[in-house]
Amino acid sequence: MTAEGLKFGAFVRREREAREIGLREMAKKIGVSPTYLSKVERDEFTPPTEDKVRAIARIIECDPDELLALAGRMPSDLADIIKRAPVEVSALLRTTSGMTRDEIARLAAEARKTKGD
């Protein structure tokens, strides 16, 4: 499931409709008004808060980190990690900037092994 150049709202709408979830039903599940959700899906409003984006991700069975990125938001747990070691984490991220997704995934897997997860 990819956004394929879609904006946040258009992607959410496509995925919601693909799962045959009504606008009112989705709005109720995430705790917003149908009018608000409709405007978000039409990209008339900015994407909702992190907790609402995560709720949407669960409903449309999408990776929450990918949906947060599409919404232009950083997961709050990452901000906390960066604050604990800003120099080291920044260096790590800059080092990975030229790597492919597969290379980064392998690096993450190695880090998990080292950490013992």
Side-chain angles (χ1 to χ4, degrees), residues 8 26 39 97:
F8 176 84
M26 173 82 113
K39 290 185 182 215
S97 70

Side-chain angles (χ1 to χ4, degrees), residues 26-95:
M26 173 82 113
K28 185 176 180 178
K29 286 181 177 188
I30 64 171
V32 299
S33 74
T35 302
Y36 172 79
L37 180 58
S38 176
K39 290 185 182 215
V40 167
E41 286 187 347
R42 291 192 315 255
D43 291 302
E44 292 176 15
F45 282 179
T46 58
T49 60
E50 180 179 353
D51 62 321
K52 304 289 185 205
V53 173
R54 287 183 179 282
I56 291 168
R58 278 191 299 276
I59 294 164
I60 64 172
E61 299 172 8
C62 173
D63 183 277
D65 287 332
E66 287 186 19
L67 196 58
L68 282 164
L70 190 57
R73 301 200 182 281
M74 178 183 294
S76 56
D77 65 321
L78 294 185
D80 293 340
I81 293 166
I82 293 168
K83 287 176 188 173
R84 284 196 311 265
V87 173
E88 296 79 6
V89 173
S90 295
L92 175 63
L93 292 175
R94 287 185 181 103
T95 301

Side-chain angles (χ1 to χ4, degrees), residues 2 4 9 21 29-30 60 68 88-89 91 100 103 114 117:
T2 62
E4 299 156 3
I21 301 169
K29 286 181 177 188
I30 64 171
I60 64 172
L68 282 164
E88 296 79 6
V89 173
T100 66
E103 290 169 334
T114 301
D117 283 358

